[in-house]
Amino acid sequence: MATAAFPPENPDLPPVCTEGFDLLRRPVWILDTGRMRKFYANAAALKLWCVPADGLDEFFSRDFSPHSPAIRERLAGTIGRVAGGEVVVERWSFYPKGGAFTVDCTMSGVRLPNGHVGMLVEAAVPDVAPEELRGIEALRHTAMMVTLYSADGTVLFRNPAAARAYPNAAHTFLASCVDPGEGERFWRAALRHDPVKTDAFMGQATTGEFRAVTSAGVRWHGLYMRTTTDPVTGRLCLLVNERDVTDRVQASAHAEYLASHDVVTGLANRIGFNRRLDELMEEPLSSGGLLMIDLDGFKQVNDTHGHGAGDVVLHAVGARLAANARAGDVCARLGGDEFAMILPGLTDPDVLRRRAEQIYHQLVQPIEVRATGASLHVAASFGAAAWPDNGATPDELQRNADLALYAAKAESGMRIHQFDVDMRRLADERHKCIEDLRAGLERDEFEVYFQPLVGFSERRPLGFEALVRWRHPERGLVLPGEFVGAAESVGLMAPIGRFVLQAAAGQLRRWLDMGFDVRRMAINLSSNQLRIANLAESARDAVAQAGVPAALVEFEVPETVTLGRGGEGAVGALWDLRRLGFAIALDDFGTGYASLTHLRRLPVDTIKLDRSFIVDMNASVADRAIVRALIGLGHDLGLQVLAEGIETHEQFVAVAELGCDAGQGFLFGHPMPAEAATKWLRENAQIDGRSKIVNFPG
C-alpha cells in the first residue's frame, strides 16, 4: 500500500546509479516510494536488515508500508521532501524480523527506471545508549504533544504528535491559543523564577487547560509547561507537554449541565437556580424580582392521564416560561410542579405584578398531548417578592416569595400575590407558636376542659365534650382556635389528641366511680389523628387502661374531613373505631358539602347542628326551616341530633320544640376544668330514685 501519490517521474531528480555502493561498508538502500518495495540494498544494508542468503526474493518483494498511523504520516512527509529534491537527515528505528535497529539516515531522491521516486538512504549507526533509543522511540509514538520552544517562542523540537496538531513550520505557542492573552499568562508564569537562581530548572512548572487551535479544529488541551536547557546551545528554553482533554472537558461540562439543569424542561434546576440567585444578589447595588410558581391540579394530570402526559405539561410550562423571559432572566424548575423566575433589575411592584399576570395568562392556555389527543388545562399560583426590599439574602427572599405563594394559593381567580410585611409577621408568629407548642408538650402545659351535654327528653345530663386548652407560660390560657391550625400543620395534634383522650377517659372513670351517670364523653379527632395507621387500636388501649367502656366514648369529626383527597382514609378510620364499639358524631353539620349518599356511607351515630344555624333561628325563618329540615333528616337516618351553641332559654325551647334530642352551649355551662365540671354535676343533678333531673336555667 503506497503512502502517498507522487509524480511518476521527476526530471529534476538524478537517475538512479548504484555503482560502487557494494564496496561501501556503510548500509545503503533505495526505496521505491511508488510501490513501497526495496529497489536496491548493498551487502551492509542486507546485513543490517538481517536478510539471509535465501531471503533476497522475499526482502525485495515485501511491502514496507508502516503499520503505525504516526509513522506513515512521518514517512509521507519525508518522502515528499526528498521527492522535491531536499536532502533530509533524520533518525529512524526499524524492526526487521527478529531484531531492531536505530540509524541516522541521510535521505535523498533519485529517479528510478519505472519513473517512480526512489529514496536513497545512507545509514549510520549512532553511538546511543539503549535507554535513550527507547526514550526517543516512545517520544515518537506517544499521543502526548511534546514541543521544545526557545525563550523567544521558536520551535526547537516537536514530536510527531505535536507536528500533527500544529503542522505550520512557523508555529509558536501563542498561535496555538484561542485566547492569546491566556497563552501569554501561561508563558510568563513558566518563565517566572527566583532571580537569584539562574539555573533554568529552577522555573516553576505551570499547568492548566486551554482552548487550542489545532489541525483538528478547536480542542481543549491539558498543559504542563516548565523551563529547561537546550542540550544543543545550552540556552534557556521551555518544554511544553500538551494532552487532548476535549472528551473529558465536554463530559465534565455535560455532567455539570445535568447537575444544574432539569432534564424534563431544560430549565435550571434548584441547584442552578440557587447558584444564579446567589450570584445576582451578590452584585453591588443589585436589585430584582423573584416569582415562585406552583401548578395547581398537576397531580390530577398524572393520576388521570399518566406521567407521560405530566411530562408534556411540565415541558410546555417550561417552554412558556422561557418564551416570556427577557435577557438576563432565569427560569427554573425547582422540583415536582414548582417553578421560579428571577427577574434581575426589576423592582417596581406594579411592573412585577404585570409580568406575573403576563406569564399567568400564558401558562393557563390549553396544552395539547399529541400521544393521546387530550387537551389539558392547569392553573397556577404566583408568589412575588423583590430584592433588596423584601429580602437582603437569597434565603430570606425565597422564604418571603414562598409566603406570598401560600397566600396566593388560598385565593380564588387569578392567584397572584405579592409579599408584604404582615405575611412575615404572621409567619414568624406561627413559627413561634409551633416552637412553643413543642415545648408545651414536653412541659405538660395542656389541660382538658369539659362542657356539659344535656338530653332534652328526660332533661338529664348526657355527659361532656372534652376540649383542650393550652396553659401558656406567658400568654395564659390559650383557646384551640389560636393554636390548632399551627399544630395540625406540623403533626402536633396527634400527640395532643392522645393526651386529651387519656385525660378525658381518666376523668370519666373518676365520675363513674363517684356515682354520676355520665353516659357520653365526646372527644374531637384531628385530621392528623385520622391518618394514624393504628388509631382504633390506640383508642381501645387508652380507654381499656382507664377502665372505661368504649360505648361511652364518642369521637367527633367535622363533616369536611370525610370529603376530598383524604376523605376515604378518614372514613375507613371511623369505621375501624365504630367496629370497636366507639360512637361517632359528625360535628359542624350543615356547613359542609356532603351529599345524602355520602352521609349514608358514614358510620355516624350523632349529628351536631352548627351553632351558626342556632344563633338567629328565632329571628330568621330560613334558619329555623334549615334546623327543622336537618333534625328531620337526622331522625330519618336513625341518628341522634344535638344542637350546638345554645345560649338563651328561647333557643333551647325552639330546638326542643323542633324535636332536637340534645344540646350544649353557654346556657347549660361553659367549658370548665374537671373540678368545676364535677361541681356542675352536683348542682345540676339531684337524685330522685335512680334518675337525675337537670335544673334547666330560664
Side-chain angles (χ1 to χ4, degrees), residues 273-292 327-331 340-349 352 355 383-401 418-420:
F273 164 80
N274 287 336
R275 181 187 304 156
R276 190 68 186 119
L277 185 60
D278 288 348
E279 293 170 351
L280 288 169
M281 293 187 70
E282 283 177 1
E283 294 177 3
L285 304 177
S286 70
S287 61
L290 174 63
L291 296 178
M292 303 297 284
D329 291 352
V330 179
C331 303
M341 284 188 72
I342 307 172
L343 312 173
L346 196 159
T347 54
D348 186 322
L352 184 58
R355 286 291 306 276
W387 84 83
D389 292 345
N390 302 148
T393 67
D395 181 64
E396 183 183 7
L397 181 70
Q398 288 185 66
R399 285 190 289 113
N400 289 340
Q418 291 176 269
F419 173 79
D420 61 56

Side-chain angles (χ1 to χ4, degrees), residues 324-383:
N324 281 273
R326 299 178 181 177
D329 291 352
V330 179
C331 303
R333 179 189 174 210
L334 305 183
D337 56 1
E338 300 176 66
F339 291 81
M341 284 188 72
I342 307 172
L343 312 173
L346 196 159
T347 54
D348 186 322
D350 293 334
V351 177
L352 184 58
R353 183 173 183 86
R354 284 199 297 272
R355 286 291 306 276
E357 290 175 355
Q358 247 178 359
I359 298 166
Y360 174 89
H361 287 301
Q362 291 295 318
L363 294 190
V364 298
Q365 297 302 311
I367 297 172
E368 306 299 329
V369 182
R370 293 181 181 178
T372 62
S375 181
L376 304 179
H377 294 76
V378 292
S381 300
F382 284 66

